[in-house]
Amino acid sequence: PKPNIDPTAVLIKAYACQRRTPLKHHNSFLTDALEILSQNAEYNDNEGRSVAFRRAASVLKALPYRVKNMEDLKSLPCLGDHSQRVIKEILEDGSSREVESTRQSDKFQAMKALTGIFGVGVRTADRWFREGLRSPDDLFRTGQQLNRAQQAGVQYYDDLQKPVTKAEADVISDIVEKAVRAVLPGAEIRLMGGFRRGKEVGHDVDFLITHPEEGKEEGLMPKITNWLEEQGLLLYQKTTRNSYLEKMDGPARAPNNMDRFERCFSIFKLQTGSERASVSGWRAVRVDLVVSPYSQFAFATLGWTGSKLFERELRRWAGQEKHMSLSSHALFDSKQNLYLRAKTEEEIFAYLGLEFIPPSERNA
Ligand code: CTP
Ligand code: MN
Ligand code: MN
Ligand code: MN
């Protein structure tokens, strides 16, 4: 039997990057609800409110016990009045009226369906919603103008809604490795994002690619995508060139989670089904490829592992507590006015004065 945990004796730190957050935790019945409200705030372009709910949910994910009553929450950070009201109602009644009515609302459901299309952000979805559109079918029916990404998003909508399994991610890893090795021997490839954090499913598969000889990685992406295209493995791809300049993008630039690596947002054609029964088919899978110079690889690794809230909290910690500026490219110390170089994630945590948190505990 599990020893009883005294909730008042559990100390939870205020920043998600100071805590260990496992994938599986004890409070999904609360965090799912708070994340609905966070998502809804995002759909209504209220970022502050969205982050507040997400932070509250994240604190509950880090708890080593299931919340039973409001007393259990007494010493916890990041739980605002609104979040506490929602939690209280769920503890007392089993559900929250606000959460349930949000979940059922026309706006929430339409925004979820529309932003679920690859290439469609909140702004576009909101415009379509105000024009009376509710689903991918409506776009098709009313002949909306779609860009290339959105066309692919609508075309492969059903496949892209299906979660990608770890087994599928492993098959794609093999393909990416083969492609990269064919065009640049000696390159290193790392599986990033949710799968690096130990998730069993994801909405896409993320890869980071580098080469130990700095400079060799320049212009690598078009070679990779050409190889993949020749093999008939790509349904869609959009490559963006590297645009990072230390002098311009470093300390002077406002903190931003969008990095400037050479990258490719793609949709792979993944063979499925059993060969023996010769019912071989295929499905579409979203794949993100990112190329980093070797000297930035540790920062890129940290930045592309996530979770998104964990990343956000790392940057907030760096800025507010350490007067440093962290990005997926570099760490700048404003007090010393210099860039701090790192070869490993461990070194970056150390510069930031943080205990190292392994990827599997970054599920904030
Ligand atoms: N990321 C980024 N810039 C982007 C998109 C993503 O730096 N334009 C980073 C995110 O901060 C995150 C990681 O890449 O750390 C993975 O993002 P994403 O694939 O969206 O999320 P996952 O955590 O992998 O979750 P999922 O399983 O849903 O893919
Ligand atoms: Mn636990
Ligand atoms: Mn991902
Ligand atoms: Mn991704």
Side-chain angles (χ1 to χ4, degrees), residues 22-82:
L23 195 56
K24 287 177 183 140
H25 59 86
H26 310 277
N27 292 291
S28 306
F29 73 113
L30 297 173
T31 59
D32 288 352
L34 292 168
E35 283 175 345
I36 294 276
L37 299 182
S38 169
Q39 184 103 77
N40 191 241
E42 205 178 305
Y43 292 158
N44 290 305
D45 200 25
N46 193 337
E47 201 193 357
R49 195 178 161 95
S50 173
V51 173
F53 283 126
R54 207 162 286 279
R55 280 204 193 111
S58 179
V59 161
L60 303 182
K61 292 180 189 177
L63 295 179
Y65 55 86
R66 181 183 166 100
V67 174
K68 296 248 160 51
N69 52 57
M70 293 306 281
E71 286 291 292
D72 291 352
L73 305 175
K74 249 182 172 167
S75 56
L76 299 182
C78 306
L79 296 180
D81 290 343
H82 198 154

Side-chain angles (χ1 to χ4, degrees), residues 76-244:
L76 299 182
C78 306
L79 296 180
D81 290 343
H82 198 154
S83 292
Q84 294 201 34
R85 272 206 313 279
V86 171
I87 294 168
K88 187 161 185 279
E89 205 182 335
I90 295 172
L91 290 174
E92 287 171 358
D93 307 337
S95 68
S96 147
R97 276 163 301 172
E98 183 184 1
V99 172
E100 293 319 312
S101 68
T102 299
R103 217 198 286 271
Q104 307 298 326
S105 76
D106 190 31
K107 170 99 189 248
F108 183 83
Q109 293 195 357
M111 289 297 283
K112 195 172 152 105
L114 294 171
T115 58
I117 303 168
F118 172 65
V120 178
V122 167
R123 229 174 254 176
T124 304
D126 187 64
R127 179 164 48 80
W128 285 339
F129 178 77
R130 284 184 279 106
E131 288 170 13
L133 306 175
R134 297 292 177 267
S135 71
D137 282 346
D138 292 345
L139 298 180
F140 201 66
R141 212 170 29 74
T142 58
Q144 289 294 311
Q145 281 280 7
L146 302 178
N147 63 33
R148 208 167 61 86
Q150 294 163 348
Q151 281 171 31
V154 171
Q155 186 172 359
Y156 304 115
Y157 186 75
D158 292 338
D159 268 2
L160 299 184
Q161 289 302 300
K162 281 186 248 162
V164 183
T165 65
K166 180 63 168 63
E168 288 170 327
D170 289 339
V171 173
I172 293 186
S173 293
D174 289 343
I175 294 170
V176 171
E177 261 172 45
K178 210 169 156 198
V180 173
R181 254 191 261 118
V183 300
L184 182 63
E188 291 174 20
I189 302 121
R190 240 184 224 177
L191 181 60
M192 308 301 303
F195 288 113
R196 184 166 188 249
R197 300 197 307 277
K199 282 178 68 176
E200 279 145 31
V201 294
H203 97 281
D204 69 358
V205 195
D206 307 285
F207 294 96
L208 185 58
I209 303 157
T210 192
H211 192 285
E213 248 177 274
E214 186 122 351
K216 285 251 172 162
E217 82 292 345
E218 275 175 36
L220 177 58
M221 197 70 82
K223 293 180 194 156
I224 299 172
T225 54
N226 280 343
W227 191 94
L228 291 166
E229 220 137 273
E230 279 167 16
Q231 308 280 320
L233 293 165
L234 285 185
L235 296 166
Y236 167 90
Q237 70 95 4
K238 184 174 168 45
T239 296
T240 312
R241 289 208 311 260
N242 183 316
S243 61
Y244 179 71

